[in-house]
Amino acid sequence: MTRRALVLGGGGITGIAWEWGILAGLAEAGVDLTGADLVVGTSAGSVVGAQVASGIEAETRYQAQLAPPDGELAAALGRGMLLRFALAMLGPAGAQRFRARVGRIALRARTEASEADRIAVIESRLPVREWPERRLLLTAVDAETGRFRTFDRHDGVPLVHAVAASCAVPGVWPPVSIDGRRYIDGGVRSGSNADLAAGADRVVVLAPLPRGIGPMTGVGKQVEALRAHASVVLVTPDQAALAAFGRNVLDPANRAAAARAGYAQAAAVLEEVRPVWS
C-alpha cells in the first residue's frame, strides 16, 4: 500500500535547487519528505527524485547547490524554438498529437551537446547509478508518437538514461535513446505529472512550474483530482523564489539563490505540510 507519495516537478536547474532547499528546510524542522513510499520525478524532479528515493540526505544535496557554478554554461530556449512550440499548439487537437509535434521539433533540432555527451553530464552530476528499492517513477515522452511513458526499476533501463530522458528539454538537449525509441522531457505532458500519485493516502507535490500551457496539464487540476481520495498539499515557489529563478531556469548562475529561497520558504509551508505528511 502506498501511504505517502512525494511528487517532484520540473523547473530546470533552479527547480532542482529550490526543491532541495524546500526538502532540507522541512527536514531540519522535523518533516522529512524523503521517507515517501512513492517518489514521482519529472524533468528536474527526476534528478532530485532519483536521489531522494536512494536515501541521500536533503541537507547534503542542498549544500551542493550553493557551490559556485564554475565552468557550467547556461542553456536557454531561443526565440525561434519558442515560436516553433507556439505553432505546435496550433496544430490538430489532442494532447498526444501535440506532444508528437513537439517531439518532431526535438528530433530535428541542432543541440550544442550530443546525446552521449548529455548522458555523460547527467551521470557526472548524479551521485547514484542504480535504481533504488523504493518505488520511483520517472516520466518521459516518446518523441515520435507523443506517447507518455514512465520508467521504474522493473523496466531494465539504466537509471541515468531514464533521468536523462526525463530531462531532455526539447530544442535544448537531444532526445535520449532507450530500447530503440527516442524520448524527451516528461514535462511536455505535465510539469509535475502529479496524477501518478493516485492511490496514495497522503501526497506532497513540489512544483517549480505549476502552470499548464496549452495541452500541457497544469498541476492544479491534477491536485484537485487527487484530493478526492487523499490528503494533498501543493507547494509552489513564492515571490522570493520566483525572483531567484530569474528569467532562465536553465542558468546555473541562479542555482544558489534558488536553493536559499526554497530553504527559506520551507518555514512558511511547514504547518501546511506537517499534518498531511504526519
Side-chain angles (χ1 to χ4, degrees):
M1 178 182 294
T2 302
R3 295 189 56 83
R4 298 188 299 182
L6 174 63
V7 177
L8 299 162
I13 288 175
T14 57
I16 291 173
W18 176 79
E19 288 178 353
W20 281 125
I22 288 282
L23 291 170
L26 288 174
E28 183 176 337
V31 180
D32 185 5
L33 300 184
T34 64
D37 303 300
L38 166 66
V39 179
V40 177
T42 292
S43 197
S46 73
V47 177
V48 179
Q51 298 173 70
V52 165
S54 299
I56 293 179
E57 292 185 358
E59 176 63 22
T60 300
R61 297 311 299 160
Y62 167 67
Q63 292 297 330
Q65 306 309 304
L66 305 181
D70 296 335
E72 294 186 54
L73 300 177
L77 283 169
R79 291 184 179 180
M81 192 60 64
L82 290 173
L83 177 60
R84 292 186 183 94
F85 290 156
L87 292 174
M89 292 184 185
L90 301 178
Q96 184 169 337
R97 288 184 177 183
F98 161 74
R99 296 195 296 266
R101 290 193 292 272
V102 174
R104 287 194 291 272
I105 292 171
L107 290 168
R108 295 170 183 167
R110 294 183 178 180
T111 57
E112 292 187 14
S114 68
E115 180 181 344
D117 288 343
R118 179 60 179 165
I119 291 173
V121 168
I122 294 292
E123 185 172 25
S124 69
R125 295 177 179 175
L126 202 62
V128 291
R129 301 288 187 275
E130 303 297 329
W131 285 91
E133 290 296 318
R134 200 176 336 169
R135 192 175 179 216
L136 169 66
L137 293 179
L138 303 181
T139 68
V141 168
D142 188 307
E144 295 182 5
T145 67
R147 183 175 66 90
F148 181 61
R149 170 78 188 269
T150 61
F151 297 104
D152 65 20
R153 66 188 179 92
H154 300 294
D155 290 322
V157 175
L159 178 62
V160 171
H161 283 67
V163 172
S166 191
C167 292
V169 180
V172 176
W173 308 121
V176 173
S177 302
I178 296 175
D179 295 335
R181 309 297 302 175
R182 306 289 302 284
Y183 290 94
I184 58 174
D185 198 311
V188 175
R189 176 187 183 255
S190 164
S192 298
N193 294 298
D195 55 325
L196 295 178
D201 298 320
R202 302 170 181 271
V203 184
V204 173
V205 181
L206 304 187
L209 300 175
R211 293 183 180 180
I213 302 175
M216 292 184 285
T217 306
V219 70
K221 290 183 178 179
Q222 295 177 335
V223 164
E224 286 306 310
L226 288 173
R227 283 178 174 152
H229 304 284
S231 297
V232 187
V233 61
L234 169 63
V235 180
T236 62
D238 60 14
Q239 290 301 313
L242 291 174
F245 288 4
R247 294 186 177 183
N248 182 11
V249 298
L250 300 176
D251 189 349
N254 298 328
R255 179 170 53 208
R260 292 189 180 97
Y263 190 84
Q265 187 180 349
V269 301
L270 175 63
E271 295 311 315
E272 184 179 6
V273 174
R274 191 196 303 273
V276 170
W277 203 248
S278 304

